Amino acid sequence: MIKSDRNQLSGRFSPGFRFRFHVRSIAHNRLYLPLAMKQLPEIRQLMQGVSPLVVFNRCSIQSARQAFYELRKKHDFAYWAATEYYIHDLNDADSIVPLILNSYQHHIIDTFERRYFNRQRAAYVISKAFRKCGVTTCVQAYILWRQTYHLSKHSNTCTASAINTEPLKANLCRFLKREIVPQDNHIFIPNADCRAFFNNYRTPDALRGIDFAYVHLANMSQWGDSEGRISPRVFAASSGGVLMSHQTLIVLEGNIPDKVFMIDAPRHYDTLKHCRPSDLSHLSRNPYFLIQHIAASNPNNDQPRYFHPINLSLHNRRFIYPPSS
């Protein structure tokens, strides 16, 4: 778990697979870098004792160190977030602070990064049974980081309303050093030569036909879709052109109902998986999200799971809902 920003800056206990890096000409203390960096030519040379001045072709050690940390930002999301991405403080809306991952955000990014390293499919259902903990903000930052440094393709974020979209656009504009948040449904990201699109579930087909590499359906439990008719259209329109791989990303996230209980008998899942969304409308404003959560979270599901579950409430237990009476 993240205890302070010092860990995020040093890399100790940061998300993903890590290795210890100790080159005094770069940093007096040990750093813990993403394992993917270990095979980079620059890192290998530094570990072999080659001068940073030679490795980065710089005239001063300060400039060489800066080149190293710019390289690190490309591969270390937690470090990039702590040094480059600024958000409103959850506890004080008037304060702008760097994104220091809390324990829930750490768990999300740790899952993303470990599965990315192992080249596993990147489609997730993130669920929780409590109030705000920064899930949407964290996922948005991660998508921007991936767009900037890895796969420069369009992203689509769909929220419950335009009111929910504005803070996300504001965070992006702050990163881009723009003072005015545009009213358009997209923001151009110059360094990545791509766009971040924003939409809400009430206009499910507004962005149909655009090829996205990143799809984020945010706060789905707030979507007023009790019949489960709009949400599938949003998902189809957003993800239809996504070529699924470890490089692309699809995230569905929201709250699960308070009426949750743990159970071991798989017969309840067998009952629920055949329910229509309207049969579960008494549990949630968006039963479609519940169905995706149930299908992803049940380990006895004998069908291949499209989504990998990230359950922030109970990481290693399965829990499902009682069928309606």
Side-chain angles (χ1 to χ4, degrees):
M1 295 175 61
I2 298 298
K3 298 298 184 183
S4 69
D5 58 347
R6 181 180 180 183
N7 288 333
Q8 203 153 305
L9 296 177
S10 71
R12 188 172 177 80
F13 306 122
S14 282
F17 299 112
R18 300 266 163 174
F19 74 98
R20 188 172 63 181
F21 176 84
H22 195 199
V23 176
R24 289 187 176 275
S25 54
I26 292 294
H28 293 296
N29 298 322
R30 294 182 180 88
L31 301 178
Y32 296 82
L33 304 179
L35 190 56
M37 293 186 68
K38 195 171 187 178
Q39 298 304 317
L40 295 178
E42 296 89 342
I43 300 301
R44 294 176 66 180
Q45 291 179 59
L46 290 172
M47 295 178 69
Q48 291 168 1
V50 180
S51 168
L53 301 178
V54 175
V55 172
F56 295 107
N57 191 25
R58 295 294 193 273
C59 297
S60 69
I61 192 63
Q62 292 82 2
S63 178
R65 287 172 180 164
Q66 184 61 35
F68 165 81
Y69 284 111
E70 290 299 320
L71 178 66
R72 182 181 174 186
K73 290 175 186 176
K74 180 178 180 180
H75 299 275
D76 192 341
F77 168 78
Y79 176 76
W80 171 86
T83 56
E84 295 288 336
Y85 197 76
Y86 290 83
I87 62 173
H88 282 281
D89 190 342
L90 281 175
N91 299 316
D92 182 3
D94 294 328
S95 298
I96 303 297
V97 296
L99 177 55
I100 305 300
L101 302 182
N102 61 39
S103 60
Y104 302 109
Q105 294 167 332
H106 178 278
H107 179 65
I108 292 169
I109 300 303
D110 187 61
T111 303
F112 284 1
E113 286 293 274
R114 287 172 184 267
R115 288 175 59 85
Y116 182 87
F117 184 86
N118 290 325
R119 305 177 69 87
Q120 294 174 286
R121 178 200 295 267
Y124 301 94
V125 171
I126 304 176
S127 57
K128 56 187 176 67
F130 45 84
R131 296 190 62 121
K132 293 181 179 180
C133 63
V135 173
T136 301
T137 298
C138 174
V139 172
Q140 283 288 289
Y142 185 77
I143 289 175
L144 174 60
W145 176 71
R146 291 277 295 273
Q147 286 177 296
T148 303
Y149 291 114
H150 296 276
L151 183 63
S152 299
K153 300 291 183 180
H154 300 321
S155 65
N156 179 23
T157 300
C158 187
T159 63
S161 68
I163 295 176
N164 300 115
T165 299
E166 287 306 306
L168 306 179
K169 294 169 68 174
N171 287 343
L172 175 55
C173 288
R174 188 179 301 109
F175 171 78
L176 297 174
K177 305 294 191 296
R178 298 179 186 175
E179 295 183 359
I180 299 177
V181 179
Q183 296 301 311
D184 297 337
N185 68 348
H186 64 84
I187 296 176
F188 181 66
I189 306 173
N191 292 341
D193 193 24
C194 63
R195 287 175 168 79
F197 287 84
F198 297 89
N199 191 25
N200 70 78
Y201 81 97
R202 297 182 185 278
T203 54
D205 301 313
L207 303 180
R208 188 180 291 274
I210 302 174
D211 288 337
F212 299 109
Y214 310 96
V215 173
H216 179 195
L217 307 189
N219 295 319
M220 293 187 71
S221 51
Q222 297 180 9
W223 298 11
D225 186 23
S226 60
E227 297 296 319
R229 296 176 180 174
I230 303 177
S231 299
R233 287 173 56 190
V234 174
F235 176 73
S238 300
S239 61
V242 177
L243 180 63
M244 282 308 304
S245 73
H246 72 289
Q247 293 184 304
T248 57
L249 180 67
I250 297 178
V251 175
L252 280 58
E253 49 104 343
N255 283 21
I256 55 176
D258 293 332
K259 299 177 182 179
V260 174
F261 71 101
M262 290 178 294
I263 190 168
D264 292 325
R267 60 186 176 85
H268 290 279
Y269 168 76
D270 293 334
T271 300
L272 286 169
K273 72 179 181 181
H274 296 298
C275 286
R276 295 171 301 178
S278 58
D279 295 333
L280 302 178
S281 61
H282 65 292
L283 291 174
S284 173
R285 297 181 65 193
N286 190 351
Y288 174 82
F289 177 70
L290 282 191
I291 291 173
Q292 301 305 320
H293 161 77
I294 291 166
S297 300
N298 186 64
N300 289 340
N301 185 0
D302 55 359
Q303 300 297 322
R305 290 184 291 184
Y306 185 87
F307 292 106
H308 178 82
I310 301 179
N311 184 346
L312 298 180
S313 299
L314 300 169
H315 293 168
N316 298 314
R317 299 178 184 177
R318 58 194 168 102
F319 61 103
I320 55 179
Y321 305 92
S324 58
S325 56

Short mmCIF file of all heavy atoms in Angstrom, two decimals, residues 118-176:
data_model
loop_
_atom_site.label_atom_id
_atom_site.label_comp_id
_atom_site.label_asym_id
_atom_site.label_seq_id
_atom_site.Cartn_x
_atom_site.Cartn_y
_atom_site.Cartn_z
N ASN A 118 2.41 -8.94 -18.62
CA ASN A 118 2.21 -10.32 -19.05
C ASN A 118 1.40 -10.42 -20.35
O ASN A 118 1.03 -11.52 -20.75
CB ASN A 118 1.50 -11.11 -17.95
CG ASN A 118 2.39 -11.35 -16.75
OD1 ASN A 118 3.60 -11.55 -16.89
ND2 ASN A 118 1.82 -11.31 -15.56
N ARG A 119 1.12 -9.26 -20.97
CA ARG A 119 0.44 -9.18 -22.26
C ARG A 119 -0.95 -9.85 -22.21
O ARG A 119 -1.34 -10.57 -23.13
CB ARG A 119 1.30 -9.81 -23.37
CG ARG A 119 2.70 -9.22 -23.47
CD ARG A 119 3.54 -9.92 -24.52
NE ARG A 119 3.05 -9.62 -25.86
CZ ARG A 119 3.41 -8.56 -26.59
NH1 ARG A 119 4.26 -7.68 -26.10
NH2 ARG A 119 2.93 -8.39 -27.81
N GLN A 120 -1.67 -9.59 -21.14
CA GLN A 120 -3.02 -10.14 -20.98
C GLN A 120 -4.07 -9.12 -21.43
O GLN A 120 -3.84 -7.92 -21.39
CB GLN A 120 -3.26 -10.53 -19.52
CG GLN A 120 -2.38 -11.68 -19.05
CD GLN A 120 -2.53 -11.95 -17.56
OE1 GLN A 120 -2.04 -11.20 -16.73
NE2 GLN A 120 -3.23 -13.04 -17.23
N ARG A 121 -5.22 -9.63 -21.80
CA ARG A 121 -6.31 -8.79 -22.27
C ARG A 121 -6.63 -7.71 -21.23
O ARG A 121 -6.74 -7.98 -20.04
CB ARG A 121 -7.55 -9.64 -22.50
CG ARG A 121 -8.78 -8.83 -22.95
CD ARG A 121 -10.05 -9.60 -22.70
NE ARG A 121 -10.15 -10.80 -23.51
CZ ARG A 121 -10.76 -10.87 -24.70
NH1 ARG A 121 -11.33 -9.79 -25.20
NH2 ARG A 121 -10.81 -12.01 -25.36
N ALA A 122 -6.83 -6.48 -21.71
CA ALA A 122 -7.06 -5.35 -20.81
C ALA A 122 -8.51 -4.89 -20.89
O ALA A 122 -8.83 -3.84 -21.45
CB ALA A 122 -6.11 -4.20 -21.14
N ALA A 123 -9.42 -5.70 -20.35
CA ALA A 123 -10.83 -5.33 -20.22
C ALA A 123 -11.24 -5.61 -18.79
O ALA A 123 -11.10 -6.75 -18.31
CB ALA A 123 -11.68 -6.13 -21.21
N TYR A 124 -11.76 -4.60 -18.10
CA TYR A 124 -11.96 -4.70 -16.66
C TYR A 124 -13.35 -4.21 -16.25
O TYR A 124 -13.90 -3.28 -16.83
CB TYR A 124 -10.92 -3.86 -15.91
CG TYR A 124 -9.50 -4.26 -16.20
CD1 TYR A 124 -8.76 -3.62 -17.19
CD2 TYR A 124 -8.87 -5.27 -15.49
CE1 TYR A 124 -7.44 -3.98 -17.47
CE2 TYR A 124 -7.57 -5.65 -15.75
CZ TYR A 124 -6.86 -5.00 -16.75
OH TYR A 124 -5.57 -5.37 -17.02
N VAL A 125 -13.88 -4.86 -15.21
CA VAL A 125 -15.02 -4.34 -14.46
C VAL A 125 -14.52 -3.99 -13.07
O VAL A 125 -14.07 -4.88 -12.32
CB VAL A 125 -16.17 -5.36 -14.37
CG1 VAL A 125 -17.24 -4.85 -13.41
CG2 VAL A 125 -16.79 -5.61 -15.73
N ILE A 126 -14.55 -2.71 -12.73
CA ILE A 126 -14.11 -2.25 -11.41
C ILE A 126 -15.34 -1.93 -10.59
O ILE A 126 -16.17 -1.10 -10.99
CB ILE A 126 -13.22 -1.00 -11.52
CG1 ILE A 126 -12.02 -1.27 -12.44
CG2 ILE A 126 -12.73 -0.57 -10.14
CD1 ILE A 126 -11.14 -0.05 -12.67
N SER A 127 -15.49 -2.58 -9.45
CA SER A 127 -16.68 -2.39 -8.62
C SER A 127 -16.28 -2.12 -7.18
O SER A 127 -15.21 -2.52 -6.71
CB SER A 127 -17.58 -3.63 -8.69
OG SER A 127 -16.85 -4.78 -8.29
N LYS A 128 -17.17 -1.41 -6.48
CA LYS A 128 -16.95 -1.10 -5.08
C LYS A 128 -18.31 -0.86 -4.43
O LYS A 128 -19.30 -0.60 -5.12
CB LYS A 128 -16.06 0.12 -4.89
CG LYS A 128 -16.55 1.37 -5.58
CD LYS A 128 -15.53 2.49 -5.49
CE LYS A 128 -15.95 3.72 -6.27
NZ LYS A 128 -17.13 4.39 -5.72
N ALA A 129 -18.36 -0.97 -3.11
CA ALA A 129 -19.61 -0.79 -2.37
C ALA A 129 -19.51 0.36 -1.39
O ALA A 129 -20.13 0.36 -0.34
CB ALA A 129 -19.98 -2.08 -1.64
N PHE A 130 -18.71 1.38 -1.75
CA PHE A 130 -18.56 2.54 -0.89
C PHE A 130 -18.42 3.78 -1.76
O PHE A 130 -18.34 3.68 -2.98
CB PHE A 130 -17.35 2.39 0.04
CG PHE A 130 -16.13 1.87 -0.65
CD1 PHE A 130 -15.29 2.72 -1.33
CD2 PHE A 130 -15.83 0.51 -0.62
CE1 PHE A 130 -14.16 2.24 -1.97
CE2 PHE A 130 -14.71 0.02 -1.26
CZ PHE A 130 -13.87 0.89 -1.94
N ARG A 131 -18.34 4.93 -1.12
CA ARG A 131 -18.35 6.19 -1.86
C ARG A 131 -17.00 6.48 -2.47
O ARG A 131 -16.13 5.62 -2.52
CB ARG A 131 -18.81 7.32 -0.93
CG ARG A 131 -20.24 7.17 -0.45
CD ARG A 131 -20.68 8.43 0.23
NE ARG A 131 -20.64 9.55 -0.72
CZ ARG A 131 -21.70 10.29 -1.01
NH1 ARG A 131 -22.86 10.02 -0.47
NH2 ARG A 131 -21.60 11.30 -1.85
N LYS A 132 -16.81 7.70 -2.90
CA LYS A 132 -15.68 8.11 -3.71
C LYS A 132 -14.33 7.67 -3.15
O LYS A 132 -14.06 7.80 -1.98
CB LYS A 132 -15.67 9.64 -3.83
CG LYS A 132 -16.84 10.21 -4.62
CD LYS A 132 -16.72 11.72 -4.70
CE LYS A 132 -17.87 12.31 -5.49
NZ LYS A 132 -17.76 13.79 -5.58
N CYS A 133 -13.51 7.15 -4.05
CA CYS A 133 -12.12 6.84 -3.69
C CYS A 133 -11.18 7.15 -4.84
O CYS A 133 -10.01 6.78 -4.81
CB CYS A 133 -11.99 5.38 -3.27
SG CYS A 133 -12.37 4.19 -4.56
N GLY A 134 -11.68 7.84 -5.88
CA GLY A 134 -10.81 8.28 -6.96
C GLY A 134 -10.65 7.29 -8.10
O GLY A 134 -9.67 7.39 -8.85
N VAL A 135 -11.58 6.36 -8.28
CA VAL A 135 -11.46 5.38 -9.36
C VAL A 135 -11.47 6.06 -10.72
O VAL A 135 -10.59 5.82 -11.56
CB VAL A 135 -12.60 4.33 -9.28
CG1 VAL A 135 -12.57 3.43 -10.50
CG2 VAL A 135 -12.47 3.51 -8.02
N THR A 136 -12.47 6.90 -10.97
CA THR A 136 -12.59 7.55 -12.27
C THR A 136 -11.38 8.41 -12.58
O THR A 136 -10.83 8.38 -13.69
CB THR A 136 -13.87 8.40 -12.32
OG1 THR A 136 -15.00 7.55 -12.08
CG2 THR A 136 -14.03 9.06 -13.68
N THR A 137 -10.93 9.19 -11.61
CA THR A 137 -9.77 10.05 -11.80
C THR A 137 -8.54 9.24 -12.13
O THR A 137 -7.75 9.59 -13.03
CB THR A 137 -9.51 10.87 -10.52
OG1 THR A 137 -10.64 11.71 -10.27
CG2 THR A 137 -8.28 11.73 -10.66
N CYS A 138 -8.35 8.14 -11.42
CA CYS A 138 -7.18 7.28 -11.63
C CYS A 138 -7.19 6.67 -13.02
O CYS A 138 -6.17 6.68 -13.73
CB CYS A 138 -7.18 6.21 -10.54
SG CYS A 138 -5.92 4.94 -10.73
N VAL A 139 -8.33 6.13 -13.44
CA VAL A 139 -8.42 5.51 -14.76
C VAL A 139 -8.18 6.54 -15.86
O VAL A 139 -7.50 6.27 -16.85
CB VAL A 139 -9.79 4.82 -14.94
CG1 VAL A 139 -9.96 4.33 -16.38
CG2 VAL A 139 -9.92 3.66 -13.96
N GLN A 140 -8.73 7.74 -15.68
CA GLN A 140 -8.52 8.81 -16.67
C GLN A 140 -7.04 9.16 -16.80
O GLN A 140 -6.54 9.31 -17.91
CB GLN A 140 -9.32 10.04 -16.26
CG GLN A 140 -10.80 9.94 -16.55
CD GLN A 140 -11.09 10.04 -18.03
OE1 GLN A 140 -10.96 11.10 -18.64
NE2 GLN A 140 -11.49 8.94 -18.64
N ALA A 141 -6.36 9.28 -15.70
CA ALA A 141 -4.93 9.60 -15.74
C ALA A 141 -4.15 8.49 -16.42
O ALA A 141 -3.24 8.75 -17.22
CB ALA A 141 -4.42 9.82 -14.31
N TYR A 142 -4.50 7.25 -16.13
CA TYR A 142 -3.78 6.12 -16.72
C TYR A 142 -3.98 6.10 -18.24
O TYR A 142 -3.03 5.84 -18.98
CB TYR A 142 -4.28 4.83 -16.10
CG TYR A 142 -3.52 3.60 -16.54
CD1 TYR A 142 -2.26 3.31 -16.03
CD2 TYR A 142 -4.06 2.71 -17.48
CE1 TYR A 142 -1.55 2.18 -16.43
CE2 TYR A 142 -3.37 1.59 -17.88
CZ TYR A 142 -2.12 1.33 -17.36
OH TYR A 142 -1.42 0.21 -17.77
N ILE A 143 -5.19 6.38 -18.69
CA ILE A 143 -5.45 6.41 -20.13
C ILE A 143 -4.62 7.50 -20.80
O ILE A 143 -4.01 7.28 -21.86
CB ILE A 143 -6.96 6.61 -20.40
CG1 ILE A 143 -7.73 5.34 -20.04
CG2 ILE A 143 -7.20 6.99 -21.86
CD1 ILE A 143 -9.24 5.49 -20.15
N LEU A 144 -4.58 8.69 -20.19
CA LEU A 144 -3.79 9.78 -20.75
C LEU A 144 -2.31 9.40 -20.83
O LEU A 144 -1.63 9.69 -21.83
CB LEU A 144 -3.97 11.04 -19.90
CG LEU A 144 -3.10 12.23 -20.27
CD1 LEU A 144 -3.37 12.69 -21.70
CD2 LEU A 144 -3.31 13.38 -19.29
N TRP A 145 -1.81 8.77 -19.80
CA TRP A 145 -0.41 8.33 -19.78
C TRP A 145 -0.13 7.34 -20.90
O TRP A 145 0.88 7.45 -21.60
CB TRP A 145 -0.10 7.73 -18.41
CG TRP A 145 1.27 7.15 -18.26
CD1 TRP A 145 2.45 7.83 -18.19
CD2 TRP A 145 1.62 5.76 -18.17
NE1 TRP A 145 3.51 6.95 -18.04
CE2 TRP A 145 3.01 5.68 -18.02
CE3 TRP A 145 0.86 4.58 -18.17
CZ2 TRP A 145 3.68 4.46 -17.90
CZ3 TRP A 145 1.52 3.37 -18.05
CH2 TRP A 145 2.92 3.31 -17.91
N ARG A 146 -1.05 6.40 -21.08
CA ARG A 146 -0.88 5.41 -22.15
C ARG A 146 -0.96 6.09 -23.53
O ARG A 146 -0.21 5.73 -24.45
CB ARG A 146 -1.96 4.33 -22.02
CG ARG A 146 -1.78 3.41 -20.81
CD ARG A 146 -0.79 2.29 -21.07
NE ARG A 146 -1.31 1.42 -22.10
CZ ARG A 146 -2.12 0.38 -21.88
NH1 ARG A 146 -2.53 0.11 -20.64
NH2 ARG A 146 -2.54 -0.39 -22.86
N GLN A 147 -1.87 7.03 -23.68
CA GLN A 147 -1.96 7.76 -24.95
C GLN A 147 -0.68 8.53 -25.23
O GLN A 147 -0.23 8.59 -26.38
CB GLN A 147 -3.14 8.74 -24.91
CG GLN A 147 -4.51 8.12 -25.02
CD GLN A 147 -5.61 9.15 -24.91
OE1 GLN A 147 -5.78 9.79 -23.87
NE2 GLN A 147 -6.38 9.33 -25.98
N THR A 148 -0.12 9.14 -24.22
CA THR A 148 1.04 10.00 -24.39
C THR A 148 2.31 9.23 -24.70
O THR A 148 3.12 9.64 -25.55
CB THR A 148 1.26 10.85 -23.13
OG1 THR A 148 0.07 11.61 -22.86
CG2 THR A 148 2.43 11.80 -23.29
N TYR A 149 2.49 8.07 -24.06
CA TYR A 149 3.77 7.39 -24.14
C TYR A 149 3.76 6.03 -24.85
O TYR A 149 4.82 5.52 -25.20
CB TYR A 149 4.34 7.18 -22.73
CG TYR A 149 4.76 8.45 -22.04
CD1 TYR A 149 4.09 8.90 -20.92
CD2 TYR A 149 5.83 9.20 -22.51
CE1 TYR A 149 4.47 10.06 -20.25
CE2 TYR A 149 6.24 10.36 -21.85
CZ TYR A 149 5.55 10.79 -20.74
OH TYR A 149 5.94 11.94 -20.10
N HIS A 150 2.60 5.44 -25.04
CA HIS A 150 2.60 4.06 -25.52
C HIS A 150 1.82 3.85 -26.82
O HIS A 150 2.41 3.54 -27.84
CB HIS A 150 2.10 3.13 -24.40
CG HIS A 150 2.99 3.10 -23.21
ND1 HIS A 150 4.11 2.30 -23.14
CD2 HIS A 150 2.97 3.82 -22.06
CE1 HIS A 150 4.73 2.50 -21.99
NE2 HIS A 150 4.06 3.43 -21.32
N LEU A 151 0.52 4.00 -26.78
CA LEU A 151 -0.29 3.80 -27.97
C LEU A 151 -1.11 5.06 -28.19
O LEU A 151 -2.09 5.31 -27.49
CB LEU A 151 -1.20 2.58 -27.81
CG LEU A 151 -2.06 2.21 -29.03
CD1 LEU A 151 -1.18 1.82 -30.22
CD2 LEU A 151 -3.01 1.07 -28.69
N SER A 152 -0.70 5.86 -29.16
CA SER A 152 -1.32 7.17 -29.39
C SER A 152 -2.58 7.02 -30.24
O SER A 152 -2.57 7.24 -31.45
CB SER A 152 -0.32 8.11 -30.06
OG SER A 152 0.80 8.31 -29.26
N LYS A 153 -3.66 6.63 -29.57
CA LYS A 153 -4.95 6.44 -30.23
C LYS A 153 -6.03 7.15 -29.43
O LYS A 153 -5.85 7.50 -28.27
CB LYS A 153 -5.28 4.95 -30.34
CG LYS A 153 -4.27 4.13 -31.15
CD LYS A 153 -4.30 4.50 -32.63
CE LYS A 153 -3.35 3.61 -33.43
NZ LYS A 153 -3.37 3.95 -34.87
N HIS A 154 -7.19 7.32 -30.04
CA HIS A 154 -8.29 8.03 -29.42
C HIS A 154 -8.82 7.28 -28.19
O HIS A 154 -8.80 6.04 -28.14
CB HIS A 154 -9.44 8.23 -30.40
CG HIS A 154 -9.07 9.02 -31.62
ND1 HIS A 154 -8.24 10.11 -31.58
CD2 HIS A 154 -9.44 8.86 -32.93
CE1 HIS A 154 -8.11 10.60 -32.80
NE2 HIS A 154 -8.82 9.86 -33.63
N SER A 155 -9.38 8.05 -27.25
CA SER A 155 -10.06 7.50 -26.08
C SER A 155 -11.49 8.01 -26.03
O SER A 155 -11.79 9.08 -26.54
CB SER A 155 -9.33 7.87 -24.79
OG SER A 155 -9.38 9.28 -24.57
N ASN A 156 -12.35 7.24 -25.41
CA ASN A 156 -13.75 7.65 -25.22
C ASN A 156 -14.13 7.44 -23.77
O ASN A 156 -14.01 6.34 -23.23
CB ASN A 156 -14.67 6.83 -26.12
CG ASN A 156 -16.14 7.21 -25.93
OD1 ASN A 156 -16.46 8.30 -25.48
ND2 ASN A 156 -17.03 6.30 -26.27
N THR A 157 -14.58 8.50 -23.13
CA THR A 157 -15.06 8.44 -21.76
C THR A 157 -16.53 8.78 -21.74
O THR A 157 -16.94 9.84 -22.23
CB THR A 157 -14.30 9.42 -20.87
OG1 THR A 157 -12.91 9.09 -20.88
CG2 THR A 157 -14.82 9.36 -19.43
N CYS A 158 -17.34 7.89 -21.19
CA CYS A 158 -18.78 8.11 -21.10
C CYS A 158 -19.16 8.17 -19.63
O CYS A 158 -18.80 7.29 -18.85
CB CYS A 158 -19.54 6.99 -21.80
SG CYS A 158 -21.32 7.28 -21.91
N THR A 159 -19.89 9.22 -19.27
CA THR A 159 -20.28 9.43 -17.87
C THR A 159 -21.80 9.51 -17.76
O THR A 159 -22.53 9.34 -18.73
CB THR A 159 -19.66 10.74 -17.34
OG1 THR A 159 -20.18 11.84 -18.09
CG2 THR A 159 -18.15 10.72 -17.46
N ALA A 160 -22.26 9.79 -16.54
CA ALA A 160 -23.70 9.87 -16.30
C ALA A 160 -24.31 11.15 -16.85
O ALA A 160 -25.48 11.16 -17.24
CB ALA A 160 -23.99 9.76 -14.81
N SER A 161 -23.51 12.23 -16.90
CA SER A 161 -24.03 13.50 -17.38
C SER A 161 -22.88 14.42 -17.72
O SER A 161 -21.72 14.14 -17.39
CB SER A 161 -24.92 14.16 -16.32
OG SER A 161 -24.15 14.58 -15.22
N ALA A 162 -23.20 15.54 -18.35
CA ALA A 162 -22.17 16.53 -18.68
C ALA A 162 -21.53 17.10 -17.43
O ALA A 162 -20.35 17.47 -17.42
CB ALA A 162 -22.78 17.65 -19.52
N ILE A 163 -22.28 17.17 -16.34
CA ILE A 163 -21.73 17.66 -15.08
C ILE A 163 -20.59 16.76 -14.60
O ILE A 163 -19.58 17.24 -14.07
CB ILE A 163 -22.84 17.75 -14.01
CG1 ILE A 163 -23.88 18.80 -14.42
CG2 ILE A 163 -22.25 18.09 -12.64
CD1 ILE A 163 -25.06 18.89 -13.48
N ASN A 164 -20.74 15.46 -14.78
CA ASN A 164 -19.69 14.53 -14.38
C ASN A 164 -18.49 14.59 -15.31
O ASN A 164 -17.36 14.25 -14.92
CB ASN A 164 -20.23 13.10 -14.36
CG ASN A 164 -21.38 12.93 -13.40
OD1 ASN A 164 -22.51 12.65 -13.80
ND2 ASN A 164 -21.13 13.11 -12.11
N THR A 165 -18.71 15.01 -16.54
CA THR A 165 -17.64 15.04 -17.53
C THR A 165 -16.71 16.23 -17.32
O THR A 165 -15.50 16.12 -17.55
CB THR A 165 -18.24 15.10 -18.95
OG1 THR A 165 -19.04 13.93 -19.17
CG2 THR A 165 -17.16 15.18 -20.01
N GLU A 166 -17.25 17.37 -16.89
CA GLU A 166 -16.47 18.59 -16.81
C GLU A 166 -15.21 18.47 -15.95
O GLU A 166 -14.15 18.95 -16.34
CB GLU A 166 -17.35 19.75 -16.32
CG GLU A 166 -18.35 20.24 -17.34
CD GLU A 166 -17.70 20.61 -18.67
OE1 GLU A 166 -16.76 21.44 -18.66
OE2 GLU A 166 -18.12 20.07 -19.71
N PRO A 167 -15.25 17.88 -14.74
CA PRO A 167 -14.02 17.77 -13.95
C PRO A 167 -12.93 16.94 -14.65
O PRO A 167 -11.74 17.23 -14.51
CB PRO A 167 -14.49 17.08 -12.66
CG PRO A 167 -15.95 17.36 -12.59
CD PRO A 167 -16.43 17.38 -14.00
N LEU A 168 -13.36 15.93 -15.41
CA LEU A 168 -12.39 15.11 -16.12
C LEU A 168 -11.72 15.90 -17.24
O LEU A 168 -10.51 15.80 -17.45
CB LEU A 168 -13.07 13.86 -16.68
CG LEU A 168 -13.85 13.01 -15.67
CD1 LEU A 168 -14.49 11.82 -16.37
CD2 LEU A 168 -12.94 12.55 -14.54
N LYS A 169 -12.50 16.68 -17.95
CA LYS A 169 -11.95 17.55 -18.99
C LYS A 169 -11.03 18.61 -18.38
O LYS A 169 -9.99 18.94 -18.96
CB LYS A 169 -13.08 18.20 -19.78
CG LYS A 169 -13.91 17.22 -20.58
CD LYS A 169 -15.17 17.84 -21.13
CE LYS A 169 -14.90 18.86 -22.20
NZ LYS A 169 -16.16 19.36 -22.82
N ALA A 170 -11.41 19.11 -17.21
CA ALA A 170 -10.59 20.12 -16.54
C ALA A 170 -9.23 19.55 -16.14
O ALA A 170 -8.20 20.23 -16.27
CB ALA A 170 -11.32 20.67 -15.31
N ASN A 171 -9.19 18.31 -15.65
CA ASN A 171 -7.92 17.68 -15.30
C ASN A 171 -7.02 17.56 -16.52
O ASN A 171 -5.81 17.80 -16.45
CB ASN A 171 -8.17 16.30 -14.70
CG ASN A 171 -8.73 16.35 -13.29
OD1 ASN A 171 -8.65 17.37 -12.62
ND2 ASN A 171 -9.32 15.25 -12.85
N LEU A 172 -7.61 17.17 -17.64
CA LEU A 172 -6.83 17.02 -18.87
C LEU A 172 -6.30 18.37 -19.34
O LEU A 172 -5.13 18.49 -19.72
CB LEU A 172 -7.69 16.36 -19.95
CG LEU A 172 -7.06 16.24 -21.35
CD1 LEU A 172 -5.73 15.52 -21.28
CD2 LEU A 172 -8.03 15.51 -22.29
N CYS A 173 -7.16 19.40 -19.31
CA CYS A 173 -6.72 20.73 -19.73
C CYS A 173 -5.62 21.27 -18.82
O CYS A 173 -4.70 21.95 -19.27
CB CYS A 173 -7.91 21.68 -19.76
SG CYS A 173 -9.06 21.38 -21.12
N ARG A 174 -5.70 20.96 -17.53
CA ARG A 174 -4.66 21.39 -16.60
C ARG A 174 -3.33 20.75 -16.98
O ARG A 174 -2.28 21.41 -16.96
CB ARG A 174 -5.04 21.02 -15.18
CG ARG A 174 -4.12 21.58 -14.11
CD ARG A 174 -4.56 21.18 -12.71
NE ARG A 174 -5.91 21.62 -12.42
CZ ARG A 174 -6.97 20.81 -12.31
NH1 ARG A 174 -6.82 19.50 -12.47
NH2 ARG A 174 -8.16 21.29 -12.04
N PHE A 175 -3.35 19.48 -17.34
CA PHE A 175 -2.13 18.80 -17.76
C PHE A 175 -1.58 19.42 -19.04
O PHE A 175 -0.36 19.55 -19.21
CB PHE A 175 -2.42 17.31 -17.97
CG PHE A 175 -1.29 16.55 -18.61
CD1 PHE A 175 -0.18 16.17 -17.86
CD2 PHE A 175 -1.31 16.23 -19.95
CE1 PHE A 175 0.88 15.48 -18.44
CE2 PHE A 175 -0.27 15.54 -20.55
CZ PHE A 175 0.83 15.16 -19.78
N LEU A 176 -2.47 19.82 -19.94
CA LEU A 176 -2.06 20.40 -21.22
C LEU A 176 -1.75 21.88 -21.12
O LEU A 176 -1.46 22.53 -22.14
CB LEU A 176 -3.16 20.17 -22.27
CG LEU A 176 -3.48 18.72 -22.62
CD1 LEU A 176 -4.68 18.64 -23.55
CD2 LEU A 176 -2.27 18.03 -23.23
#
